[in-house]
Amino acid sequence: IGTAYGSVTCQNVTVKDSYISGNNKVGAIIAHDGRTSNVKIDNCHVLNSTIESLDSADGGCVGGLIGYFAGIGGGEFKISNSTVKQSTINGINSTNSGKRANSQFIGCINSDANQQLYINNCSVEDNIFTDVDNNGNAVTYKSIYGKFIGGERYDAPKGKVYIDNVEVIANGIAIDNEGNYCITAVEGFAWIEAQTDNFFSGKTIKLVANMNLEGIDYKPIRFWDPENPITFDGQNYTISNLTINNGSSDNQALFNGTLSVKNLKVDNAT
């Protein structure tokens, strides 16, 4: 589909051994999702294909599945059971930021304030992904949505994005449907550390995957609210290769303060 409007459904579609290119807004299933009210993409797959931008001056918004997801008009947008696999995605980000972002799945989004985007049981596997600016330099911008969405096109009010039923709010941080904060990537630890001591009062923080902190400059996280201690639930995942090196500072530990820790494994910490 080139530009999609209204209600759109793509189901049981496979793009294989294909070459898709354009200046910007390039995707194998949908190039540009325009003013749609509802979108459903289920069991759609991109295999052994090349998706790329050709315009170094006005490129960007390139994704293996969808190029530019505008999402104007609100509504629900559901993508499920879909993959981009063994493909090459070449993006040119003309701003070297999230403004013309590219990714292996959805290149760029422009969320309506009333939009809800759900990505469930989807994957990107064994792809070659390049993202450069219009001078050919590697893009340094890092999306909060990981491999699934490159970034947001504008600074306009945005709706909510859920990946595997948790709402993504920051790099490595999501909120599940019970209001728990979930650490989805190692960058989430830095976001938690940057909040105030009592930001998480009475809340639960969960690991949702194993975390390898090798090479990470880890800063101990302090929680302080004696009346409303937080709970850290490792859900039996492992934090590995943790190194804390704060010189002679006190409180050199994974956490400090008023909290309960459970179901956590720590391996090779120094």
Side-chain angles (χ1 to χ4, degrees), residues 26-28 30-31 33 41 62-69 79 105-108:
V26 187
I30 298 177
D33 169 73
I41 298 175
V62 177
L65 199 80
I66 299 174
Y68 181 33
F69 196 98
I79 306 172
F105 201 73
I106 299 175
C108 197

Side-chain angles (χ1 to χ4, degrees), residues 26-101:
V26 187
I29 300 296
I30 298 177
H32 177 205
D33 169 73
R35 295 183 177 273
T36 52
S37 55
N38 289 284
V39 172
K40 180 180 179 181
I41 298 175
D42 181 58
N43 195 35
C44 292
H45 306 281
V46 180
L47 304 173
N48 195 36
S49 296
T50 297
I51 304 96
E52 65 181 355
S53 175
L54 300 176
D55 191 337
S56 62
D58 193 30
C61 303
V62 177
L65 199 80
I66 299 174
Y68 181 33
F69 196 98
I72 303 299
E76 288 190 342
F77 305 83
K78 297 181 177 181
I79 306 172
S80 57
N81 308 311
S82 298
T83 60
V84 178
K85 187 174 181 179
Q86 296 174 346
S87 295
T88 299
I89 301 95
N90 296 322
I92 299 174
N93 190 328
S94 60
T95 62
N96 194 26
S97 72
K99 305 302 183 184
R100 287 286 185 92

Side-chain angles (χ1 to χ4, degrees), residues 219-234:
K219 295 181 180 179
I221 298 172
R222 173 184 165 92
F223 304 107
W224 187 255
D225 188 345
E227 300 299 322
N228 298 286
I230 74 107
T231 297
F232 188 94
D233 186 354

Side-chain angles (χ1 to χ4, degrees), residues 110-131:
N110 175 30
S111 307
D112 186 279
N114 298 315
Q115 173 206 308
Q116 296 186 52
L117 170 60
Y118 299 88
I119 301 173
N120 287 317
N121 195 34
C122 295
S123 65
V124 291
E125 305 173 34
D126 303 323
N127 298 309
I128 298 172
F129 174 62
T130 60
D131 195 9

